[in-house]
Amino acid sequence: PNPTGGYTLQFGAFADSVKAYKLIQKLTDIGLEPYISETEVNGAQLLRVRAENFNSRDEAEEAGSALGDQFIYMVVPRE
């Protein structure tokens, strides 16, 4: 279960903040509202680039599909 409810699109996870912010800019340029979600994996800090919030997994999948092949993404629970 997803305690906070909702889903978001994740476009990547980067140890390099420069790469993360370049992707943020690209997503902003196409009209999305991206944000950074920080996490730690095996002792390394990762910046997850995510965008938008959706009430259901289906809504998130539709929005991701609408982007076409321009971006690789996955639907993840909103935290």
Side-chain angles (χ1 to χ4, degrees), residues 12-31:
F14 303 91
D16 181 345
S17 64
V18 172
K19 289 181 181 176
Y21 284 100
K22 280 184 179 176
L23 182 52
I24 288 269
Q25 188 58 56
K26 287 180 185 176
L27 294 169
T28 301
D29 289 347
I30 64 164

Side-chain angles (χ1 to χ4, degrees), residues 27-57:
L27 294 169
T28 301
D29 289 347
I30 64 164
L32 295 180
E33 294 182 19
Y35 62 94
I36 295 281
S37 170
E38 293 186 26
T39 190
E40 193 175 300
V41 178
N42 297 328
Q45 194 70 16
L46 288 180
L47 303 176
R48 297 181 294 201
V49 176
R50 296 180 169 184
E52 307 298 314
N53 290 304
F54 304 94
N55 292 321
S56 73
R57 180 176 285 277

